[in-house]
Amino acid sequence: MNKKLVVSVIGAGGKMGTRVTNNLIKHPDTIELYYCENSEFGIKAIKERGFDVTPAEVAVPISDIVVLAVPDKIIYDVSVGIVKMMAANKSLIILDPAAAVAKELALRDDCTFVVTHPCHPSYFLDQDTYEARHDYFGGIAGKQDIVIGKIQGSEENFTKARMVSEIMFAPVVNSYVMGIRDIAFLEPTLVEILGATTLYAMAETVKEAERRGIPRAAAESFLAGHVYNLSANFLGKLGNTKVSDACLVAIDLGNRLVLRDDWKRIWDDEVLDNVIATMLHPHDPQI
Ligand SMILES: NC(=O)c1ccc[n+]([C@@H]2O[C@H](COP(=O)([O-])OP(=O)(O)OC[C@H]3O[C@@H](n4cnc5c(N)ncnc54)[C@H](O)[C@@H]3O)[C@@H](O)[C@H]2O)c1
């Protein structure tokens, strides 16, 4: 019988720690799982779910894979201590590229370091069940893709980390392998700086519509339907179907009225570095 893969999750009582341990624990035949947590709230949450908390000093040295599920802004401080405790030729996974790109993740030459992040269930995916269609985050029932990149280390360890990542965010359709800077251009650049900002503005505009007496349900339906339809159109999923000439004029106006003329600067390397530095240390903005 093959030896089980030993996995420790640091921050197992937090938001992501809870999600990923809920999936890892479903594989007791292949994964020996340890929950590590240091806050009273997190420890209580793990115990209420019926699991024990293990000190990192005990779990990390015997782990094949350590998942660091702590907030990005403390990854430097936490990783310095955790990485020292790892045995040689083992792996550490972080769940966001920011700290790695900002070089705030402690590294060691004899270990493998990996970044993974969920794409969340796309509205273009055919989900099979009601529960899957209503799993907006993913990792419960909704099929989703993930992205994954190796910071450094061996291919053999990366393969294991990829398998564990696919379990953490299951059910996973595709795990796309790319460089960690590419992951950072997806988040924060694509989905936070641009996506979350414009979607937030859209939701604010629904509120404004409601304030002006437009039924909220109508505004919400109008928005969600158009987001679905227009994203299918602009991403080339509708063949040669084009938006109206008037819509093209409106987009041109929106580029001036809503977006800055130079908004594509968000793809400059320098802007990405300054964005990440500011997100990790908001008290010391770099942009
Ligand atoms: N929240 C999300 O939607 C989301 C989505 C994708 C990726 N991520 C990434 O997941 C990671 C974790 O984020 P989160 O939102 O789950 O954080 P969180 O604040 O919800 O949870 C972090 C947990 O870590 C614990 N912790 C802190 N220091 C610790 C230590 N030294 N030892 C043990 N436990 C410790 C805290 O007590 C807390 O329970 C981040 O890298 C984040 O970018 C988050």
Side-chain angles (χ1 to χ4, degrees):
M1 204 177 84
N2 282 340
K3 196 178 149 289
K4 286 188 198 180
L5 205 59
V6 180
V7 178
S8 292
V9 177
I10 314 296
K15 291 185 281 296
M16 289 306 283
T18 301
R19 288 180 181 280
V20 304
T21 51
N22 279 346
N23 281 346
L24 292 167
I25 198 69
K26 292 176 187 160
H27 298 265
D29 294 342
T30 49
I31 292 177
E32 186 175 319
L33 183 61
Y34 291 95
Y35 297 71
C36 304
E37 179 52 69
N38 74 350
S39 75
E40 210 176 299
F41 176 85
I43 292 170
K44 186 164 170 275
I46 292 168
K47 290 193 171 156
E48 279 170 3
R49 286 157 59 211
F51 304 110
D52 293 326
V53 174
T54 306
E57 292 74 10
V58 174
V60 171
I62 56 165
S63 293
D64 297 299
I65 296 189
V66 177
V67 179
L68 203 54
V70 304
D72 297 329
K73 58 180 187 232
I74 62 165
I75 279 186
Y76 178 73
D77 288 337
V78 178
S79 66
V80 165
I82 294 293
V83 168
K84 271 190 209 143
M85 295 179 209
M86 290 168 64
N89 196 29
K90 303 300 182 188
S91 305
L92 181 134
I93 301 177
I94 54 172
L95 304 175
D96 188 280
V101 168
K103 304 209 180 310
E104 293 193 7
L105 173 69
L107 300 172
R108 240 175 70 180
D109 287 347
D110 59 349
C111 289
T112 298
F113 294 84
V114 172
V115 177
T116 189
H117 200 91
C119 294
H120 303 300
S122 160
Y123 48 67
F124 293 125
L125 272 177
D126 277 328
Q127 301 288 356
D128 302 322
T129 62
Y130 176 88
E131 195 193 6
R133 282 189 290 281
H134 290 263
D135 179 8
Y136 300 104
F137 192 94
I140 297 173
K143 285 182 280 191
Q144 65 176 334
D145 297 327
I146 62 170
V147 294
I148 183 161
K150 190 171 73 176
I151 303 166
Q152 65 171 53
S154 76
E155 266 313 297
E156 193 188 341
N157 283 344
F158 179 69
T159 302
K160 286 184 201 158
R162 186 175 179 181
M163 186 202 67
V164 164
S165 300
E166 288 173 2
I167 290 173
M168 290 195 295
F169 297 114
V172 167
V173 184
N174 300 295
S175 52
Y176 296 110
V177 179
M178 61 186 74
I180 59 163
R181 234 180 143 73
D182 292 339
I183 298 180
F185 273 124
L186 296 181
E187 179 169 333
T189 302
L190 174 60
V191 302
E192 289 180 334
I193 296 290
L194 185 64
T197 305
T198 47
L199 286 165
Y200 185 84
M202 288 181 217
E204 287 293 297
T205 309
V206 166
K207 279 191 208 152
E208 178 61 19
E210 192 180 11
R211 201 186 62 75
R212 286 166 185 252
I214 296 169
R216 184 186 167 89
E220 210 178 288
S221 176
F222 211 81
L223 171 65
H226 279 77
V227 166
Y228 189 36
N229 166 265
L230 289 172
S231 48
N233 194 316
F234 296 145
L235 291 170
K237 293 183 184 297
L238 303 181
N240 281 330
T241 308
K242 298 270 183 274
V243 292
S244 67
D245 290 348
C247 181
L248 292 175
V249 175
I251 290 169
D252 225 27
L253 290 172
N255 267 323
R256 284 197 278 124
L257 294 172
V258 181
L259 300 175
R260 290 166 51 124
D261 289 348
D262 60 348
W263 70 269
K264 288 190 179 163
R265 277 180 66 238
I266 61 174
W267 285 94
D268 289 354
D269 279 298
E270 192 192 341
V271 172
L272 175 66
D273 288 333
N274 289 336
V275 161
I276 286 177
T278 304
M279 288 173 80
L280 290 172
H281 307 287
H283 56 276
D284 182 20
Q286 299 297 313
I287 192 161

